[in-house]
Amino acid sequence: MSLPIAPKHIQSTLRRFLEGEASGGLVLMAVAALAILTANSSFAETYFDALHIYLGPLSLQHWINDALMAVFFLLVGLEIKREMLDGQLSSWSRRILPGAAAAGGMLFPALIYVAFNWSDPSALRGWAIPTATDIAFALGVISLFGSRVPSSLKIFLAALAIIDDLGAVIVIALFYTADLNLWALGGTAVVLAVLYGLNRSKVMALWPYLILGVGLWVLVFASGVHATLAGVMLALTIPLKPTPGTPEADDAESPLHRLENGLHKPVAFLIVPLFGFANAGVSLAGLSMGVFAEPLTMGIAAGLMLGKLIGVMGTVAVLVKLGIAYLPASASWGQMAGTSFLCGIGFTMSLFIGLLAFDDPSVQDHVKIGILLGSLVSGVLGAICLAAFGRRQGATAS
């Protein structure tokens, strides 16, 4: 049974999306390595001091994590909305496999982390850290194999990661929200109502949404809900379909598509690398090998390495066995295993959740080590599987 083919304009949009994310992932790999090298070099003091320089009301690191990352979440929200309404996740037949795999890929890493840290109530706050998948990193690795990996598997990975991002947004909103300011929340509701009114009135210009979006970010920041979620809220109000009969009659020219296309390069090649450079740097000075055996570090690393493999691969196997879904076209089980390992690269969103979960810098360092270890091993094992089974598939075809 073959899956329905997406319309041509959707396929081209998705292809551009995959190419942009893959290239951004390669840049992110380089930036993460540079951050670790800098944090352990003679420039370490300058690196850490610069992050704590205050520019107005916030430090440089907070401007990056709270303001610039709101733009990242805006793009995430736009991608989720587009894929759900007009893309590869627009029907239940397309949603079921990546959706179920994403759910399994969040559940099992969380269970493994909790198993490692059950006796430490304070550490349990980090249960969501290994549940995330870094779409840019994962697609960056899978892109290295070119045509040896079927495009259907790349689309599956992108769809899974998008649903995973939606899950991460919900987790952040529900479990990592500070004390609430009801006045600011009321202001947030008013701005959202105005944005919704603009959408319903078919206002197709982007500038009113973006101006109100700045005010929305300020109110969400003051409310106690993490400010980056303002980006997702704004994204959900951006119109996807243009007004019939206007010069912008092509769906690809709708406000959502225009904003999404405009944000892709700045987010992939500036904002996410800046976030990675500002947060991946961890000093290894004074750390003993024992840190790798600590429950918190091991819970994160094992959650990413094993939890994602078990959750994603196991869910896919069950659905295929029951006849509910099918493997992506032309993909083998070995390639699916490699893709499942790649889902264990949790870099950007895992770091983000880790910073929300723990305030103690020493604990944050252990979190970073667990994320870096789990993501590195997951990426290497995923690449090995894809390389091995890609060659085998090519040999068979010849």
Side-chain angles (χ1 to χ4, degrees):
M1 175 180 175
S2 59
L3 292 178
I5 302 299
K8 190 172 183 179
H9 78 276
I10 295 175
Q11 290 178 323
S12 61
T13 300
L14 187 61
R15 188 177 298 112
R16 289 196 301 271
F17 165 74
L18 290 172
E19 291 171 352
E21 291 288 352
S23 302
L26 298 178
V27 172
L28 187 55
M29 292 180 201
V31 168
L34 180 61
I36 296 170
L37 290 174
T38 303
N40 292 278
S41 71
S42 57
F43 297 101
E45 185 175 353
T46 303
Y47 168 78
F48 289 111
D49 288 346
L51 292 175
H52 294 93
I53 292 175
Y54 269 76
L55 303 173
L58 299 175
S59 69
L60 176 60
Q61 187 168 32
H62 277 103
W63 277 116
I64 293 171
N65 292 356
D66 291 356
L68 286 183
M69 285 300 283
V71 181
F72 166 79
F73 275 83
L74 170 59
L75 181 59
V76 167
L78 293 172
E79 290 168 348
I80 290 171
K81 180 174 180 177
R82 173 177 54 76
E83 291 295 336
M84 288 290 186
L85 298 181
D86 195 36
Q88 288 296 322
L89 301 176
S90 59
S91 65
W92 284 109
S93 61
R94 293 193 184 115
R95 292 172 192 161
I96 186 166
L97 187 65
M106 294 186 75
L107 174 63
F108 283 90
L111 291 176
I112 289 175
Y113 178 90
V114 169
F116 272 92
N117 293 277
W118 185 253
S119 60
D120 185 354
S122 62
L124 289 176
R125 182 168 170 77
W127 64 270
I129 296 172
T131 64
T133 292
D134 190 305
I135 186 171
F137 245 131
L139 287 174
V141 174
I142 204 170
S143 71
L144 297 175
F145 297 92
S147 60
R148 286 188 292 173
V149 176
S151 59
S152 62
L153 204 55
K154 297 174 186 177
I155 292 172
F156 166 80
L157 177 58
L160 183 152
I162 288 170
I163 297 171
D164 189 281
D165 282 345
L166 175 60
V169 168
I170 294 171
V171 166
I172 291 169
L174 293 179
F175 298 100
Y176 296 102
T177 293
D179 295 333
L180 297 177
N181 180 321
L182 295 182
W183 286 106
L185 278 179
T188 298
V190 170
V191 174
L192 284 174
V194 174
L195 286 165
Y196 177 75
L198 291 176
N199 183 298
R200 296 296 296 173
S201 300
K202 303 187 186 304
V203 174
M204 293 295 134
L206 278 172
W207 65 266
Y209 296 94
L210 298 181
I211 291 175
L212 286 169
V214 174
L216 182 67
W217 180 87
V218 173
L219 288 166
V220 174
F221 180 85
S223 73
V225 177
H226 200 273
T228 51
L229 297 183
V232 179
M233 298 177 193
L234 175 61
L236 297 180
T237 67
I238 304 295
L240 177 61
K241 300 287 186 182
T243 305
T246 65
E248 301 172 331
D250 184 354
D251 289 350
E253 292 299 318
S254 70
L256 187 146
H257 283 85
R258 296 202 312 270
L259 183 56
E260 184 183 5
N261 290 335
L263 288 178
H264 256 305
K265 287 185 179 179
V267 168
F269 298 107
L270 178 62
I271 292 176
V272 171
L274 265 177
F275 174 82
F277 185 73
N279 294 283
V282 54
S283 176
L284 303 179
L287 292 178
S288 66
M289 293 300 293
V291 70
F292 295 99
E294 290 186 6
L296 187 145
T297 308
M298 286 301 298
I300 294 172
L304 290 171
M305 290 184 293
L306 299 178
K308 285 291 185 180
L309 175 67
I310 296 170
V312 174
M313 185 77 171
T315 301
V316 170
V318 169
L319 292 181
V320 172
K321 181 70 174 178
L322 294 177
I324 297 174
Y326 301 86
L327 273 179
S330 303
S332 68
W333 282 108
Q335 290 172 325
M336 179 57 73
T339 304
S340 300
F341 272 123
L342 293 187
C343 292
I345 303 176
F347 189 77
T348 303
M349 199 67 82
S350 289
L351 280 175
F352 192 83
I353 294 174
L355 294 174
L356 295 179
F358 302 107
D359 296 326
D360 187 337
S362 63
V363 177
Q364 288 179 351
D365 282 347
H366 292 178
V367 167
K368 292 176 183 178
I369 291 171
I371 293 170
L372 292 170
L373 176 62
S375 297
L376 176 62
V377 174
S378 296
V380 170
L381 292 177
I384 290 172
C385 283
L386 291 175
F389 288 97
R391 284 196 299 269
R392 187 175 302 170
Q393 185 182 46
T396 302
S398 63

